[in-house]
């Protein structure tokens, strides 16, 4: 247990965040943009200190035997820094949604009725082994006028402390409350439950991590939760699909960064395309170091491939492992995705326009792609500047959550003395 002192500390942190959220709700777009641009500049100027903090985290994580996939997510590199800088500047330059009035209509009595876009309030963000998420989540929350309370993984504690200091100082320099971004000051796992039970202080909880974390938060939370559980993502290669293109999409989807939730986990291939496609795919995946597993019909074409078990069809590997299945039709592929997919990311490679449109309409996923890699299910790649997570729930947000998804609307009415009869 976290103890009475720790409980009181987290409650007080949430209370400070609530006050900061009240001030942020009326902050000018210029002040919010200034804070984001200042943070972008300081990622460069403070890089040596950030890199040193991250190096301490990496050394401790390696000593604990953290997996290669988690070490990859933990590592801050110059490329990660440059992506964060670009994302911060993109978010800063986006139109500010707060205060927008939508759908204003004139009622017969002269009353004008519409909706105004407003912040959610205070967001709790629980995440694992990804210090870059500290910056992305804070930037989006700030732009949308929200305060955010962060609980990162213990593996990234030093990195997160350094990044939150940078963000708080950037807020202060822009005349905004530093308490709008706060990091839970303990790595005790009990702090997760403390956040889950802060109904009335936190308006939304967003967990971003493994299945166990997501299920814990969904079970314990006393406030709305936006999250996805797994990324069991498929590519369907249609009859007549361009083989070179399909192979390139599959290799990029699986091997570019296998530890991410938008990585490819399964390939379904039409039986007519399998004799040409599968050997080409095997050669490319072997070069990329990917282990292949396949159904019986796949192994008739690729006898050296390991047999896939029933558990493979629903597995999210987050590793260099890919499962292959031969199907007889688009209909069979759609049925397989409906049964085993996780509503995260699904793709089709095809030259048939009707098949592409049917796949787009019928597949239930937060992003459905035609002739493109599933790795594009990412806020930065989709033009949102960054993302705070991907929601596979259809209420409030479905898919990548950017600035607009961290706001809601309230009804407004503009009158001139009207009274109800």
């Amino acid at each position: 247990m976290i103890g009475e002192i720790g409980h009181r500390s987290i409650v007080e942190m949430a209370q400070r965040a609530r006050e900061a959220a009240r001030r942020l709700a009326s902050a000018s777009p210029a002040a919010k943009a200034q804070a984001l641009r200042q943070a972008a500049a300081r990622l460069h100027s403070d890089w040596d200190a950030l890199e040193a903090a991250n190096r301490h985290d990496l050394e401790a994580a390696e000593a604990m035997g953290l997996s290669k996939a988690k070490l990859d997510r933990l590592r801050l590199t110059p490329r990660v820094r440059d992506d964060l800088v670009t994302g911060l500047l993109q978010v800063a330059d986006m139109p500010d949604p707060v205060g927008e009035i939508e759908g204003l209509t004139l009622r017969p009595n002269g009353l004008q009725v519409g909706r105004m876009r407003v912040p959610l309030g205070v967001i709790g963000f629980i995440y694992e082994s990804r210090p870059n998420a500290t910056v992305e989540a804070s930037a989006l929350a700030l732009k949308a006028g929200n305060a955010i309370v962060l609980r990162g993984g213990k593996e990234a504690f030093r990195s997160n402390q350094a990044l939150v200091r940078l963000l708080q100082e950037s807020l202060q320099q822009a005349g905004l409350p530093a308490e709008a971004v706060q990091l839970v000051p303990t790595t005790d796992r009990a702090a997760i439950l403390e956040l889950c039970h802060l109904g009335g202080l936190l308006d939304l909880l967003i967990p971003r991590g493994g299945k166990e974390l997501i299920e814990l938060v969904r079970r314990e939370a006393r406030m709305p939760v936006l999250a996805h559980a797994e990324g069991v993502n498929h590519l369907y290669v249609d009859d007549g699909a361009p083989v070179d293109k399909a192979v390139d999409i599959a290799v990029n989807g699986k091997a570019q960064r296998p530890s991410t939730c938008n990585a490819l986990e399964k390939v379904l291939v039409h039986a007519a395309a399998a004799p040409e496609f599968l050997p080409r795919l095997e050669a490319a995946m072997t070069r990329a170091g990917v282990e292949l597993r396949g159904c019986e019909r796949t192994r008739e074409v690729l006898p050296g491939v390991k047999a896939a078990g029933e558990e493979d069809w629903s597995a999210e590997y987050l590793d260099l492992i890919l499962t292959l299945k031969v199907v007889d039709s688009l209909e069979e592929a759609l049925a397989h995705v409906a049964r085993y997919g996780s509503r995260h990311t699904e793709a089709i490679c095809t030259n048939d326009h009707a098949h592409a449109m049917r796949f787009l309409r019928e597949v239930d996923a937060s992003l459905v792609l035609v002739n493109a890699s599933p790795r594009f299910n990412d806020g930065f790649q989709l033009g949102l500047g960054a993302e705070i997570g991907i929601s596979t729930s259809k209420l409030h947000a479905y898919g990548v959550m950017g600035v607009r998804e961290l706001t809601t609307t309230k009804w407004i009415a503009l009158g001139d003395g009207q009274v109800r009869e």
Side-chain angles (χ1 to χ4, degrees):
M1 297 294 293
I2 199 168
E4 179 60 29
I5 294 176
H7 167 76
R8 190 162 58 247
S9 172
I10 291 176
V11 170
E12 290 171 353
M13 173 180 288
Q15 290 170 337
R16 291 193 298 270
R18 196 137 203 94
E19 174 59 23
R22 188 186 67 80
R23 292 175 57 191
L24 270 185
S26 60
S28 71
K32 291 186 285 185
Q34 180 186 344
L36 293 169
R37 293 192 183 100
Q38 180 66 28
R42 293 195 59 169
L43 279 172
H44 280 294
S45 63
D46 295 6
W47 179 246
D48 288 346
L50 293 172
E51 194 174 40
N54 186 241
R55 188 164 53 250
H56 283 301
D57 284 335
L58 284 166
E59 290 170 355
E62 287 173 351
M64 288 190 301
L66 214 65
S67 70
K68 183 178 179 182
K70 288 188 176 181
L71 287 171
D72 180 50
R73 290 197 289 267
L74 175 59
R75 185 171 285 106
L76 287 176
T77 66
R79 179 176 177 178
V80 171
R81 175 200 61 200
D82 293 344
D83 283 348
L84 288 174
V85 168
T86 301
L88 283 167
L89 296 177
Q90 283 187 0
V91 174
D93 291 340
M94 285 179 176
D96 194 312
V98 178
E100 285 182 4
I101 297 176
E102 305 169 356
L104 200 63
T105 59
L106 185 65
R107 302 295 299 149
N109 64 357
L111 199 65
Q112 295 184 77
V113 177
R115 291 176 179 266
M116 177 179 285
R117 193 155 288 279
V118 295
L120 293 173
V122 182
I123 297 169
F125 185 50
I126 303 171
Y127 55 114
E128 299 174 344
S129 302
R130 289 194 62 189
N132 55 317
T134 302
V135 177
E136 294 170 347
S138 300
L140 294 171
L142 167 62
K143 182 74 174 187
N146 302 294
I148 190 166
V149 175
L150 304 154
R151 197 285 182 183
K154 64 180 180 180
E155 304 89 351
F157 191 60
R158 293 181 184 86
S159 302
N160 288 336
Q161 284 180 313
L163 288 166
V164 167
R165 279 195 299 271
L166 179 155
L167 291 163
Q168 289 179 333
E169 290 166 5
S170 298
L171 283 162
Q172 287 179 315
Q173 289 173 342
L176 298 175
E179 294 82 5
V181 177
Q182 297 182 75
L183 179 70
V184 172
T186 176
T187 60
D188 192 325
R189 193 167 176 81
I192 295 174
L193 293 179
E194 292 290 330
L195 291 176
C196 287
H197 297 162
L198 289 180
L201 288 175
L202 301 185
D203 296 286
L204 177 70
L205 207 50
I206 302 177
R208 185 168 166 178
K211 185 177 181 180
E212 180 183 346
L213 171 65
I214 305 297
E215 290 178 346
L216 171 67
V217 172
R218 282 178 167 162
R219 184 172 63 249
E220 294 289 338
R222 306 295 187 265
M223 67 288 291
V225 174
L226 283 181
H228 74 271
E230 294 177 293
V232 184
N233 308 318
H234 299 78
L235 168 67
Y236 169 57
V237 180
D238 198 14
D239 181 15
V243 172
D244 288 345
K245 185 183 294 182
V247 170
D248 287 346
I249 290 171
V251 172
N252 180 261
K254 177 75 270 183
Q256 193 224 15
R257 200 171 180 192
S259 63
T260 59
C261 62
N262 58 15
L264 182 64
E265 301 289 12
K266 323 293 170 192
V267 172
L268 311 176
V269 56
H270 192 284
E276 182 181 1
F277 171 74
L278 287 176
R280 298 268 294 276
L281 180 69
E282 181 184 39
M285 289 296 181
T286 298
R287 288 193 295 271
V290 177
E291 174 193 323
L292 297 178
R293 301 176 185 178
C295 67
E296 290 183 7
R297 296 173 72 184
T298 297
R299 297 179 73 235
E300 290 173 5
V301 182
L302 306 177
V305 167
K306 181 180 177 180
E310 177 60 29
E311 68 281 359
D312 284 300
W313 304 118
S314 56
E316 181 189 32
Y317 300 119
L318 300 175
D319 202 352
L320 290 171
I321 303 170
L322 183 68
T323 310
L324 312 175
K325 181 177 178 62
V326 176
V327 296
D328 288 318
S329 64
L330 171 61
E331 184 69 40
E332 186 181 347
L334 289 169
H336 184 94
V337 170
R339 178 176 179 183
Y340 294 104
S342 59
R343 298 170 63 182
H344 194 289
T345 311
E346 306 292 352
I348 182 174
C349 185
T350 185
N351 275 334
D352 188 314
H353 177 75
H355 283 190
M357 293 303 101
R358 185 179 175 197
F359 196 86
L360 287 177
R361 286 193 306 270
E362 295 187 21
V363 168
D364 185 7
S366 74
L367 175 64
V368 185
L369 305 104
V370 175
N371 295 331
S373 169
R375 289 280 290 120
F376 285 107
N377 199 359
D378 172 87
F380 182 79
Q381 295 295 327
L382 294 179
L384 302 184
E387 69 179 53
I388 198 168
I390 295 176
S391 172
T392 52
S393 166
K394 294 181 180 179
L395 286 180
H396 184 71
Y398 194 25
V400 292
M401 294 179 287
V403 173
R404 203 168 189 83
E405 288 71 32
L406 295 184
T407 62
T408 187
T409 58
K410 65 182 179 184
W411 284 98
I412 62 166
L414 308 176
D416 187 27
Q418 289 89 341
V419 294
R420 184 169 177 176
E421 297 179 1

